[in-house]
Amino acid sequence: MDKTIESLFYIICNEYKCDLGKKASQKLFYFFEREGINLNLRYCIHYFGPYSSKLSDFMDDLELEGYISIKETQNTHKIEWVYNDTTELDSFINSPDYMIAEKVMKYFGDKTPKDLEALSTIDYISQKMDSNQKNEKDILNRVKEIKGSKFNNSDLKKYYKLLQKIELV
């Protein structure tokens, strides 16, 4: 089991008390990697934005080993931390990765899964585009091609500005 992923789930569930589901987890972990935590999750574009099958497998393993509980609700899977022993987390809390996690949670921890989907898709598309096409208009047009009418223009521009503010795009 990857102790960094385990520690990040603990932090999201306990320190930030996010209403965490699988979709939000995928997007938060995407941003943990984008900000510099080496998780080697290998993201690809998916229906709901960047997705890692490796992270999905880790979530299943964490549930099987009794670290998290994944409960299916009406329209999502709610993830809760249930493991009691947190002694192994001390080394993570004193690491540079913890500081990165705090930054990601500061900017993205209060976002809805739909917000996170838009933000991560914009960033993912930006990373995959040629540098000569990397401008707000081209990036957002490409996102609209993929997402259709799921997000309106003003929201996409707002999300883009946030990503610019934290220097991801």
Side-chain angles (χ1 to χ4, degrees), residues 85-136:
D85 184 8
T86 59
T87 55
E88 295 178 10
L89 295 171
D90 291 339
S91 62
F92 181 78
I93 289 172
N94 295 314
S95 74
D97 287 347
Y98 181 77
M99 307 243 323
I100 293 170
E102 284 188 314
K103 178 183 178 185
V104 168
M105 294 308 293
K106 174 184 172 185
Y107 288 107
F108 302 112
D110 65 342
K111 303 293 184 243
T112 67
K114 187 176 178 183
D115 292 337
L116 291 169
E117 176 184 346
L119 286 157
S120 60
T121 302
I122 291 167
D123 182 72
Y124 185 88
I125 295 302
S126 170
Q127 295 307 303
K128 298 298 180 188
M129 290 181 85
D130 292 335
S131 58
N132 63 341
Q133 294 178 317
K134 222 183 238 192
N135 62 64
E136 179 178 354

Side-chain angles (χ1 to χ4, degrees), residues 11 15 29 33 40 72 99 104 106 119 131 139 149 155 161:
I11 289 164
E15 290 187 19
F29 276 82
E33 279 206 295
N40 194 29
E72 193 169 333
M99 307 243 323
V104 168
K106 174 184 172 185
L119 286 157
S131 58
I139 292 168
S149 61
D155 283 343
K161 297 296 181 209

